[in-house]
Amino acid sequence: MARQLPKAIRLTDAAAEHLREIMARSEGKYIGLRVGVKNGGCAGMEYTMEYAEAQKPLDEVVEDKGVRILIDPKAILFLIGTEMDYQTEKFSSGFKFNNPNQTDACGCGESVTIEPARL
C-alpha cells in the first residue's frame, strides 16, 4: 500500500478568501495561482507567485478551500508542508509562507534558505 504524501501546500482561511476574491474578479481569466521558488536574493532563494491562465503539463495541482494552486515540479520538495497565509497589517498586506523547510531568511524578508523536504 502506498503511503499518502502530504499536500505540497495548504492555505489558511484568510489566504483562500483573498485568492477566491481575486479569481472572481478575473472573470475566468485565471484558473489558479502558480507558486514556486527560484534562486535569488541574499539568502539564496525567493518564493514566486503568479496568476495562472493555463496548466502546464508537469504542474502539481493542489485544490484547497476552493482554490487551485499549481506548483512547478522543481519546487515541490522545497514546499512540502508549507502553509500560505494572507496577512493585513497597519501599513502593508500580503501573502506569507510558513515553510517547515525554511532554515533561514535575509534581514529584509525578501529571500530565504530552504532545504528540500525529507520524505
Side-chain angles (χ1 to χ4, degrees), residues 1-16:
M1 179 183 219
R3 183 174 72 82
Q4 181 72 17
L5 294 176
K7 284 184 179 181
I9 195 166
R10 65 188 185 286
L11 302 173
T12 64
D13 290 340

Side-chain angles (χ1 to χ4, degrees), residues 67-79:
V67 177
R68 178 180 289 162
I69 305 162
L70 301 111
I71 303 171
D72 179 341
K74 294 178 282 190
I76 292 169
L77 284 178
F78 294 104
L79 294 175

Side-chain angles (χ1 to χ4, degrees), residues 40-43 45-47 95-97 102 104-113:
C42 53
M45 299 185 96
E46 298 173 347
Y47 294 105
F95 291 101
K96 181 177 188 238
F97 291 88
Q102 182 176 315
D104 199 7
C106 67
C108 67
E110 292 295 318
S111 67
V112 293
T113 303

Side-chain angles (χ1 to χ4, degrees), residues 21 51 55 58 77 92 94 97 101 103:
E21 289 172 4
Y51 299 110
Q55 182 176 334
L58 298 178
L77 284 178
S92 66
F97 291 88
N101 308 306
T103 59

